């Protein structure tokens, strides 16, 4: 795992080439502190930079930028190719190998087989840039799911790219302007979805695609259309019509076999490797299989919080004790956790407001003191019906779609007439009489979420409502046109037979790559830690989409198939427990120890001076939140993270 950067410019000053690429490389040093490397050809107008986090082949033979054996291609590569050893065996004997890195396998694979054929063979996560010296063409490539980031665009007459916006911001050409439409997307979702970025003219390469730039493209300031080499839509449609025909036992055994193979591949490396263990189904499955394949106790890591309902460390310790890992847990107070908040705008170098970014950063920093690589269970929810919205969303939609809209509106007004805390008290009074499978954490917030669904007119609108922070960004952003928003995207027209699968598809296409994977990558790489996500191996994804819903949601429990695999490794009492999530009590913090910090960033004069938001709308929400009548923590946090990011950029 590393950082890459570079540019193409037909008229860049020769004496600035080296300085400019070095500035870009230095700005993302945290992504690869082990070595910096640059290569440039002034006459061709191209420069490549690399920050190396040495994982495989720690020798100089693994350094980048790297040239192919045939001397035609240069590459800078970020990620891991888990099957590079088997691929190397298929390549011609004539290749003069310099080392045993996956980068060298990749560049020579492209040289021998071509880009598209090589991409079909790869098992891994990656973002890379490859320069063809013969055709004078730069190709940017991103992995199937978008685990690794890649930004690109024009600054002046130069096409520029990097793993992070920080490097692009250092470029000495014109100031970057905030994209108002991207700001609207951020306010709605709490992140900016691909292919957009916070800046005009700078884009994220979509997952599963590549884009090629010739010198002529750059001279004309053209951004070619990207080419998709792997499509989640195509995979989903194909696998849904090609349903797995085996028995439940066959499915359990096949998934376990896939997991063993994938995890074994991801445990390869020349540095210490550990795992995140939250105590949930996904991470427990990954860690249990890892430990079963390891001769020595693995290092596992958990971070928890002292507040009730947010600490999974006890559960993680019990699982660790049973399977025999060397467990490390860090239980923090609110004060300790809040010390990280000033660093967030630097870590997430465009506005990002998933509050679980705080524990994700903390656990990454904690783990990086002992290991260089950590495996994680991310992705299981999206593939195996793990989120409550996958289950509740379709059910609620079917019920409320039968009720006339005026009556639905009365229901919404009634629910919102009482604050979430009142609904909490009412729920706790009734909890004793509810069956165990209906008991939930944070009932008041979930009742509010349900109320937001009542007025929607389609399942896609239900989904967007569930994941949105600000449901009407035009109410908060000055001079904003909502008609240009991302969610009018063709994703809303993709129809699957089952509404639960439809919700999972929306999450896999929107939420997973743009929130979860961004959160994990930036948090881990800020501490120079590589994360690997075995559940997102494309072979597991393809299998997961082939199995029927009854193998995901069964006996009123989500992730049924994963649970059955896990039961081969853990007793039932360590598996069947309420899901608590991975978050922090941000609503309480904003009313308490974070109140003064938030007040400064939400100051009316400050907001009015930036000319992005309506300060009156913000103040109204802020006052309602402080009184405890409403919980606007999610909405307020999006504002605070943008304000923090903006102030950081202006300093």
């Amino acid at each position: 795992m590393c950082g890459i950067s570079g540019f193409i410019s037909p008229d860049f000053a020769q004496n600035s080439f080296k300085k400019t690429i070095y500035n870009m490389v230095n700005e993302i040093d945290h992504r690869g502190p082990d070595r910096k490397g640059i290569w440039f050809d002034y006459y061709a107008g191209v420069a490549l930079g690399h920050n190396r986090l040495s994982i495989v082949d720690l020798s100089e033979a693994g350094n980048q930028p790297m040239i192919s054996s045939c001397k035609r291609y240069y590459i800078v590569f970020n990620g891991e190719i888990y099957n590079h050893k088997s691929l190397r065996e298929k390549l011609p004997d004539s290749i003069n190998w310099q080392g045993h890195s996956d980068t060298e396998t990749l560049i020579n694979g492209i040289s021998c087989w071509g880009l598209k054929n090589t991409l079909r063979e790869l098992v891994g996560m990656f973002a890379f840039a490859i320069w063809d010296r013969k055709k004078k063409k730069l190709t940017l490539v991103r992995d199937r799911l978008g685990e690794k980031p890649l930004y690109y665009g024009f600054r002046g007459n130069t096409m520029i790219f990097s793993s992070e916006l920080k490097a692009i911001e250092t470029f000495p050409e014109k100031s970057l302007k905030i994209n108002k439409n991207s700001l609207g997307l951020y306010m709605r979702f709490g992140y900016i979805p691909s292919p957009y970025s916070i800046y005009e003219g700078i884009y994220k390469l979509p997952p599963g695609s590549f884009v090629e730039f010739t010198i002529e493209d750059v001279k004309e300031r053209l951004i070619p259309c990207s080419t998709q080499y792997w499509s989640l839509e195509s995979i989903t449609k194909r696998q849904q019509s090609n349903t797995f025909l085996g028995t439940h036992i066959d499915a359990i055994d096949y998934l376990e076999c896939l997991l063993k193979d994938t995890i074994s591949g991801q445990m390869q490396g020349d540095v210490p490797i550990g795992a995140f263990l939250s105590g949930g189904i996904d991470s427990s499955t990954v860690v249990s299989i890892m430990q079963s394949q390891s001769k020595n106790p693995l290092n596992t890591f958990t971070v928890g919080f002292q507040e009730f309902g947010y600490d999974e460390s006890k559960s993680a310790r019990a699982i660790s004790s049973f399977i025999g890992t060397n467990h490390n847990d860090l239980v923090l107070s609110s004060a300790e956790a809040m010390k990280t908040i000033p660093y967030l705008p630097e870590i997430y170098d465009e506005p990002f407001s998933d509050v679980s970014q705080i524990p994700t950063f903390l656990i990454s920093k904690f783990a990086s003191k002992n290991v260089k690589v950590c495996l994680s269970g991310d992705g299981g929810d999206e593939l195996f019906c793990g989120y409550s919205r996958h289950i509740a969303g379709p059910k609620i939609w079917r019920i409320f779609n039968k009720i006339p809209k005026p009556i639905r509106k009365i229901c919404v007004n009634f629910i919102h007439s009482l604050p979430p805390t009142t609904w909490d008290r009412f729920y706790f009074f009734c909890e004793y009489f509810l069956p165990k499978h209906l008991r939930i954490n944070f009932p008041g917030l979930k009742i509010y979420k349900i109320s937001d669904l009542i007025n929607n007119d389609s399942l896609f609108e239900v989904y967007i409502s569930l994941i949105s922070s600000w449901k009407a960004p035009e109410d908060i952003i000055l001079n904003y046109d909502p008609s240009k928003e991302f969610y009018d995207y063709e994703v809303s027209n993709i129809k699957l037979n089952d509404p639960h699968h439809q919700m999972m598809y929306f999450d896999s296409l929107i939420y997973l790559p743009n929130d979860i994977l961004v959160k994990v990558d930036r948090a881990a790489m800020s501490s120079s830690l590589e994360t690997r996500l075995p559940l997102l191996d494309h072979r597991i994804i393809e299998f997961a989409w082939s199995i029927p819903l009854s193998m995901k949601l069964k006996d009123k429990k989500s992730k049924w198939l994963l649970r059955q695999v896990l039961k081969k490794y853990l007793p039932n009492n360590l598996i069947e427990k309420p899901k608590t999530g991975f978050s922090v009590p941000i609503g309480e913090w904003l009313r308490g120890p974070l109140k003064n910090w938030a007040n400064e960033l939400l100051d009316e004069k400050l907001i009015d001076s930036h000319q992005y938001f309506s300060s009156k709308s913000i103040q109204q929400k802020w006052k309602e939140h402080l009184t405890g009548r409403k919980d606007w923590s999610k909405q307020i946090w999006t504002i605070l993270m943008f304000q923090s990011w903006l102030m950081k950029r202006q300093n």
Side-chain angles (χ1 to χ4, degrees), residues 184-215:
L185 295 173
Y186 165 71
M187 294 303 293
R188 179 175 291 281
F189 298 117
Y191 52 81
I192 300 168
S194 163
Y196 309 104
S197 85
I198 189 62
Y199 293 125
E200 291 184 359
I202 304 295
Y203 304 93
K204 300 183 185 82
L205 185 62
S209 66
F210 63 86
V211 63
E212 298 176 323
F213 287 89
T214 64
I215 292 294

mmCIF file of all heavy atoms in Angstrom, residues 184-215:
data_model
loop_
_atom_site.group_PDB
_atom_site.id
_atom_site.type_symbol
_atom_site.label_atom_id
_atom_site.label_comp_id
_atom_site.label_asym_id
_atom_site.label_seq_id
_atom_site.Cartn_x
_atom_site.Cartn_y
_atom_site.Cartn_z
ATOM 1 N N GLY A 184 -23.437 19.994 -2.519
ATOM 2 C CA GLY A 184 -24.789 19.489 -2.292
ATOM 3 C C GLY A 184 -24.806 17.989 -2.045
ATOM 4 O O GLY A 184 -25.525 17.490 -1.171
ATOM 5 N N LEU A 185 -23.995 17.268 -2.808
ATOM 6 C CA LEU A 185 -23.884 15.820 -2.600
ATOM 7 C C LEU A 185 -23.324 15.523 -1.219
ATOM 8 O O LEU A 185 -23.772 14.602 -0.532
ATOM 9 C CB LEU A 185 -22.971 15.214 -3.668
ATOM 10 C CG LEU A 185 -23.480 15.286 -5.110
ATOM 11 C CD1 LEU A 185 -22.407 14.818 -6.079
ATOM 12 C CD2 LEU A 185 -24.747 14.475 -5.274
ATOM 13 N N TYR A 186 -22.328 16.301 -0.826
ATOM 14 C CA TYR A 186 -21.741 16.105 0.501
ATOM 15 C C TYR A 186 -22.775 16.349 1.597
ATOM 16 O O TYR A 186 -22.871 15.574 2.559
ATOM 17 C CB TYR A 186 -20.550 17.042 0.699
ATOM 18 C CG TYR A 186 -20.137 17.142 2.142
ATOM 19 C CD1 TYR A 186 -19.511 16.068 2.778
ATOM 20 C CD2 TYR A 186 -20.395 18.289 2.895
ATOM 21 C CE1 TYR A 186 -19.157 16.138 4.112
ATOM 22 C CE2 TYR A 186 -20.044 18.368 4.223
ATOM 23 C CZ TYR A 186 -19.426 17.290 4.828
ATOM 24 O OH TYR A 186 -19.089 17.359 6.166
ATOM 25 N N MET A 187 -23.552 17.410 1.474
ATOM 26 C CA MET A 187 -24.542 17.715 2.504
ATOM 27 C C MET A 187 -25.612 16.631 2.587
ATOM 28 O O MET A 187 -26.131 16.337 3.657
ATOM 29 C CB MET A 187 -25.190 19.074 2.237
ATOM 30 C CG MET A 187 -24.225 20.242 2.357
ATOM 31 S SD MET A 187 -23.416 20.316 3.966
ATOM 32 C CE MET A 187 -24.812 20.713 5.008
ATOM 33 N N ARG A 188 -25.923 16.025 1.466
ATOM 34 C CA ARG A 188 -26.924 14.967 1.474
ATOM 35 C C ARG A 188 -26.358 13.685 2.091
ATOM 36 O O ARG A 188 -26.961 13.079 2.961
ATOM 37 C CB ARG A 188 -27.423 14.673 0.058
ATOM 38 C CG ARG A 188 -28.448 13.550 0.018
ATOM 39 C CD ARG A 188 -29.021 13.343 -1.373
ATOM 40 N NE ARG A 188 -29.854 14.452 -1.792
ATOM 41 C CZ ARG A 188 -31.112 14.653 -1.400
ATOM 42 N NH1 ARG A 188 -31.688 13.826 -0.551
ATOM 43 N NH2 ARG A 188 -31.795 15.687 -1.851
ATOM 44 N N PHE A 189 -25.178 13.270 1.617
ATOM 45 C CA PHE A 189 -24.672 11.950 1.984
ATOM 46 C C PHE A 189 -23.629 11.944 3.102
ATOM 47 O O PHE A 189 -23.388 10.908 3.717
ATOM 48 C CB PHE A 189 -24.069 11.262 0.757
ATOM 49 C CG PHE A 189 -25.051 11.021 -0.345
ATOM 50 C CD1 PHE A 189 -24.907 11.624 -1.588
ATOM 51 C CD2 PHE A 189 -26.138 10.181 -0.155
ATOM 52 C CE1 PHE A 189 -25.815 11.408 -2.607
ATOM 53 C CE2 PHE A 189 -27.051 9.955 -1.165
ATOM 54 C CZ PHE A 189 -26.896 10.574 -2.404
ATOM 55 N N GLY A 190 -22.964 13.076 3.318
ATOM 56 C CA GLY A 190 -21.858 13.089 4.271
ATOM 57 C C GLY A 190 -20.541 12.715 3.619
ATOM 58 O O GLY A 190 -19.508 12.607 4.284
ATOM 59 N N TYR A 191 -20.553 12.507 2.306
ATOM 60 C CA TYR A 191 -19.363 12.221 1.510
ATOM 61 C C TYR A 191 -19.658 12.650 0.087
ATOM 62 O O TYR A 191 -20.819 12.925 -0.271
ATOM 63 C CB TYR A 191 -18.995 10.732 1.564
ATOM 64 C CG TYR A 191 -20.145 9.807 1.232
ATOM 65 C CD1 TYR A 191 -20.522 9.538 -0.087
ATOM 66 C CD2 TYR A 191 -20.881 9.186 2.237
ATOM 67 C CE1 TYR A 191 -21.584 8.707 -0.389
ATOM 68 C CE2 TYR A 191 -21.945 8.337 1.951
ATOM 69 C CZ TYR A 191 -22.293 8.105 0.632
ATOM 70 O OH TYR A 191 -23.356 7.284 0.338
ATOM 71 N N ILE A 192 -18.634 12.693 -0.740
ATOM 72 C CA ILE A 192 -18.814 13.103 -2.134
ATOM 73 C C ILE A 192 -18.605 11.885 -3.019
ATOM 74 O O ILE A 192 -17.497 11.352 -3.105
ATOM 75 C CB ILE A 192 -17.846 14.232 -2.509
ATOM 76 C CG1 ILE A 192 -18.104 15.447 -1.615
ATOM 77 C CG2 ILE A 192 -17.989 14.609 -3.982
ATOM 78 C CD1 ILE A 192 -17.057 16.506 -1.683
ATOM 79 N N PRO A 193 -19.660 11.398 -3.664
ATOM 80 C CA PRO A 193 -19.553 10.158 -4.436
ATOM 81 C C PRO A 193 -18.770 10.324 -5.733
ATOM 82 O O PRO A 193 -18.756 11.388 -6.349
ATOM 83 C CB PRO A 193 -21.017 9.798 -4.714
ATOM 84 C CG PRO A 193 -21.745 11.105 -4.651
ATOM 85 C CD PRO A 193 -21.027 11.940 -3.650
ATOM 86 N N SER A 194 -18.137 9.247 -6.125
ATOM 87 C CA SER A 194 -17.462 9.167 -7.421
ATOM 88 C C SER A 194 -18.493 9.390 -8.539
ATOM 89 O O SER A 194 -19.636 8.942 -8.406
ATOM 90 C CB SER A 194 -16.829 7.785 -7.535
ATOM 91 O OG SER A 194 -16.486 7.473 -8.845
ATOM 92 N N PRO A 195 -18.126 10.094 -9.599
ATOM 93 C CA PRO A 195 -16.795 10.538 -10.012
ATOM 94 C C PRO A 195 -16.430 11.952 -9.573
ATOM 95 O O PRO A 195 -15.454 12.506 -10.074
ATOM 96 C CB PRO A 195 -16.905 10.472 -11.533
ATOM 97 C CG PRO A 195 -18.333 10.883 -11.807
ATOM 98 C CD PRO A 195 -19.137 10.290 -10.677
ATOM 99 N N TYR A 196 -17.184 12.530 -8.663
ATOM 100 C CA TYR A 196 -16.976 13.929 -8.302
ATOM 101 C C TYR A 196 -15.963 14.079 -7.170
ATOM 102 O O TYR A 196 -15.677 13.150 -6.425
ATOM 103 C CB TYR A 196 -18.310 14.565 -7.890
ATOM 104 C CG TYR A 196 -19.402 14.346 -8.908
ATOM 105 C CD1 TYR A 196 -20.409 13.406 -8.690
ATOM 106 C CD2 TYR A 196 -19.409 15.043 -10.105
ATOM 107 C CE1 TYR A 196 -21.391 13.175 -9.636
ATOM 108 C CE2 TYR A 196 -20.388 14.820 -11.057
ATOM 109 C CZ TYR A 196 -21.380 13.881 -10.821
ATOM 110 O OH TYR A 196 -22.344 13.649 -11.764
ATOM 111 N N SER A 197 -15.439 15.289 -7.050
ATOM 112 C CA SER A 197 -14.650 15.673 -5.883
ATOM 113 C C SER A 197 -15.163 17.024 -5.420
ATOM 114 O O SER A 197 -16.019 17.633 -6.058
ATOM 115 C CB SER A 197 -13.152 15.752 -6.221
ATOM 116 O OG SER A 197 -12.820 17.013 -6.773
ATOM 117 N N ILE A 198 -14.633 17.523 -4.331
ATOM 118 C CA ILE A 198 -15.077 18.815 -3.815
ATOM 119 C C ILE A 198 -14.681 19.961 -4.746
ATOM 120 O O ILE A 198 -15.281 21.027 -4.708
ATOM 121 C CB ILE A 198 -14.516 19.055 -2.382
ATOM 122 C CG1 ILE A 198 -15.137 20.296 -1.741
ATOM 123 C CG2 ILE A 198 -12.998 19.147 -2.407
ATOM 124 C CD1 ILE A 198 -16.630 20.234 -1.544
ATOM 125 N N TYR A 199 -13.711 19.719 -5.624
ATOM 126 C CA TYR A 199 -13.208 20.788 -6.489
ATOM 127 C C TYR A 199 -13.726 20.653 -7.922
ATOM 128 O O TYR A 199 -13.862 19.541 -8.455
ATOM 129 C CB TYR A 199 -11.685 20.770 -6.529
ATOM 130 C CG TYR A 199 -11.022 21.123 -5.223
ATOM 131 C CD1 TYR A 199 -10.097 20.263 -4.641
ATOM 132 C CD2 TYR A 199 -11.311 22.326 -4.571
ATOM 133 C CE1 TYR A 199 -9.471 20.588 -3.447
ATOM 134 C CE2 TYR A 199 -10.695 22.652 -3.372
ATOM 135 C CZ TYR A 199 -9.777 21.784 -2.813
ATOM 136 O OH TYR A 199 -9.173 22.104 -1.628
ATOM 137 N N GLU A 200 -13.969 21.789 -8.550
ATOM 138 C CA GLU A 200 -14.324 21.810 -9.962
ATOM 139 C C GLU A 200 -13.138 21.321 -10.793
ATOM 140 O O GLU A 200 -11.998 21.714 -10.564
ATOM 141 C CB GLU A 200 -14.711 23.227 -10.397
ATOM 142 C CG GLU A 200 -16.019 23.715 -9.803
ATOM 143 C CD GLU A 200 -16.431 25.083 -10.335
ATOM 144 O OE1 GLU A 200 -15.662 25.654 -11.154
ATOM 145 O OE2 GLU A 200 -17.491 25.593 -9.937
ATOM 146 N N GLY A 201 -13.422 20.457 -11.739
ATOM 147 C CA GLY A 201 -12.387 19.997 -12.653
ATOM 148 C C GLY A 201 -11.510 18.872 -12.142
ATOM 149 O O GLY A 201 -10.620 18.405 -12.854
ATOM 150 N N ILE A 202 -11.733 18.428 -10.905
ATOM 151 C CA ILE A 202 -10.984 17.313 -10.344
ATOM 152 C C ILE A 202 -11.971 16.182 -10.062
ATOM 153 O O ILE A 202 -13.025 16.402 -9.460
ATOM 154 C CB ILE A 202 -10.245 17.700 -9.047
ATOM 155 C CG1 ILE A 202 -9.337 18.902 -9.292
ATOM 156 C CG2 ILE A 202 -9.442 16.511 -8.514
ATOM 157 C CD1 ILE A 202 -8.199 18.659 -10.259
ATOM 158 N N TYR A 203 -11.618 14.969 -10.476
ATOM 159 C CA TYR A 203 -12.550 13.842 -10.407
ATOM 160 C C TYR A 203 -11.926 12.641 -9.699
ATOM 161 O O TYR A 203 -10.705 12.526 -9.600
ATOM 162 C CB TYR A 203 -12.967 13.430 -11.826
ATOM 163 C CG TYR A 203 -13.566 14.563 -12.611
ATOM 164 C CD1 TYR A 203 -12.765 15.356 -13.440
ATOM 165 C CD2 TYR A 203 -14.915 14.870 -12.514
ATOM 166 C CE1 TYR A 203 -13.295 16.424 -14.152
ATOM 167 C CE2 TYR A 203 -15.464 15.928 -13.220
ATOM 168 C CZ TYR A 203 -14.650 16.706 -14.032
ATOM 169 O OH TYR A 203 -15.177 17.759 -14.716
ATOM 170 N N LYS A 204 -12.807 11.758 -9.249
ATOM 171 C CA LYS A 204 -12.375 10.450 -8.775
ATOM 172 C C LYS A 204 -12.594 9.457 -9.908
ATOM 173 O O LYS A 204 -13.676 9.435 -10.512
ATOM 174 C CB LYS A 204 -13.201 9.997 -7.561
ATOM 175 C CG LYS A 204 -13.135 10.900 -6.347
ATOM 176 C CD LYS A 204 -13.955 10.262 -5.217
ATOM 177 C CE LYS A 204 -14.028 11.166 -3.999
ATOM 178 N NZ LYS A 204 -15.078 12.196 -4.140
ATOM 179 N N LEU A 205 -11.605 8.632 -10.175
ATOM 180 C CA LEU A 205 -11.798 7.579 -11.152
ATOM 181 C C LEU A 205 -12.785 6.568 -10.568
ATOM 182 O O LEU A 205 -12.584 6.068 -9.458
ATOM 183 C CB LEU A 205 -10.466 6.895 -11.463
ATOM 184 C CG LEU A 205 -10.495 5.832 -12.560
ATOM 185 C CD1 LEU A 205 -10.900 6.434 -13.898
ATOM 186 C CD2 LEU A 205 -9.137 5.145 -12.677
ATOM 187 N N PRO A 206 -13.870 6.241 -11.287
ATOM 188 C CA PRO A 206 -14.855 5.298 -10.743
ATOM 189 C C PRO A 206 -14.246 3.914 -10.524
ATOM 190 O O PRO A 206 -13.310 3.514 -11.228
ATOM 191 C CB PRO A 206 -15.930 5.256 -11.834
ATOM 192 C CG PRO A 206 -15.775 6.539 -12.583
ATOM 193 C CD PRO A 206 -14.307 6.819 -12.565
ATOM 194 N N PRO A 207 -14.750 3.158 -9.555
ATOM 195 C CA PRO A 207 -14.266 1.795 -9.340
ATOM 196 C C PRO A 207 -14.411 0.939 -10.593
ATOM 197 O O PRO A 207 -15.324 1.137 -11.404
ATOM 198 C CB PRO A 207 -15.176 1.277 -8.224
ATOM 199 C CG PRO A 207 -15.645 2.495 -7.503
ATOM 200 C CD PRO A 207 -15.782 3.547 -8.564
ATOM 201 N N GLY A 208 -13.493 -0.019 -10.758
ATOM 202 C CA GLY A 208 -13.580 -0.970 -11.859
ATOM 203 C C GLY A 208 -13.374 -0.361 -13.225
ATOM 204 O O GLY A 208 -13.913 -0.871 -14.219
ATOM 205 N N SER A 209 -12.594 0.720 -13.311
ATOM 206 C CA SER A 209 -12.440 1.395 -14.599
ATOM 207 C C SER A 209 -11.018 1.904 -14.804
ATOM 208 O O SER A 209 -10.209 1.942 -13.880
ATOM 209 C CB SER A 209 -13.432 2.556 -14.712
ATOM 210 O OG SER A 209 -13.127 3.571 -13.780
ATOM 211 N N PHE A 210 -10.736 2.303 -16.042
ATOM 212 C CA PHE A 210 -9.470 2.964 -16.349
ATOM 213 C C PHE A 210 -9.724 4.090 -17.341
ATOM 214 O O PHE A 210 -10.739 4.109 -18.053
ATOM 215 C CB PHE A 210 -8.427 1.976 -16.890
ATOM 216 C CG PHE A 210 -8.776 1.317 -18.204
ATOM 217 C CD1 PHE A 210 -8.487 1.931 -19.426
ATOM 218 C CD2 PHE A 210 -9.382 0.067 -18.224
ATOM 219 C CE1 PHE A 210 -8.801 1.320 -20.622
ATOM 220 C CE2 PHE A 210 -9.711 -0.557 -19.425
ATOM 221 C CZ PHE A 210 -9.418 0.079 -20.635
ATOM 222 N N VAL A 211 -8.792 5.045 -17.387
ATOM 223 C CA VAL A 211 -8.891 6.159 -18.319
ATOM 224 C C VAL A 211 -7.515 6.406 -18.920
ATOM 225 O O VAL A 211 -6.493 6.271 -18.237
ATOM 226 C CB VAL A 211 -9.432 7.432 -17.620
ATOM 227 C CG1 VAL A 211 -8.489 7.919 -16.529
ATOM 228 C CG2 VAL A 211 -9.713 8.545 -18.622
ATOM 229 N N GLU A 212 -7.480 6.723 -20.201
ATOM 230 C CA GLU A 212 -6.213 6.885 -20.920
ATOM 231 C C GLU A 212 -6.067 8.318 -21.423
ATOM 232 O O GLU A 212 -7.004 8.875 -22.000
ATOM 233 C CB GLU A 212 -6.148 5.918 -22.105
ATOM 234 C CG GLU A 212 -6.188 4.460 -21.690
ATOM 235 C CD GLU A 212 -6.228 3.510 -22.868
ATOM 236 O OE1 GLU A 212 -6.887 3.844 -23.873
ATOM 237 O OE2 GLU A 212 -5.601 2.439 -22.778
ATOM 238 N N PHE A 213 -4.879 8.885 -21.227
ATOM 239 C CA PHE A 213 -4.566 10.236 -21.685
ATOM 240 C C PHE A 213 -3.385 10.194 -22.645
ATOM 241 O O PHE A 213 -2.316 9.674 -22.295
ATOM 242 C CB PHE A 213 -4.200 11.148 -20.517
ATOM 243 C CG PHE A 213 -5.351 11.556 -19.650
ATOM 244 C CD1 PHE A 213 -5.728 10.786 -18.571
ATOM 245 C CD2 PHE A 213 -6.059 12.722 -19.920
ATOM 246 C CE1 PHE A 213 -6.783 11.158 -17.760
ATOM 247 C CE2 PHE A 213 -7.117 13.109 -19.120
ATOM 248 C CZ PHE A 213 -7.487 12.328 -18.040
ATOM 249 N N THR A 214 -3.578 10.738 -23.825
ATOM 250 C CA THR A 214 -2.465 10.946 -24.744
ATOM 251 C C THR A 214 -1.973 12.391 -24.603
ATOM 252 O O THR A 214 -2.653 13.229 -23.997
ATOM 253 C CB THR A 214 -2.892 10.710 -26.197
ATOM 254 O OG1 THR A 214 -3.884 11.695 -26.557
ATOM 255 C CG2 THR A 214 -3.485 9.313 -26.363
ATOM 256 N N ILE A 215 -0.828 12.653 -25.157
ATOM 257 C CA ILE A 215 -0.314 14.027 -25.150
ATOM 258 C C ILE A 215 -1.290 14.961 -25.858
ATOM 259 O O ILE A 215 -1.507 16.104 -25.440
ATOM 260 C CB ILE A 215 1.076 14.091 -25.820
ATOM 261 C CG1 ILE A 215 2.115 13.363 -24.953
ATOM 262 C CG2 ILE A 215 1.504 15.535 -26.059
ATOM 263 C CD1 ILE A 215 2.386 14.028 -23.619
#
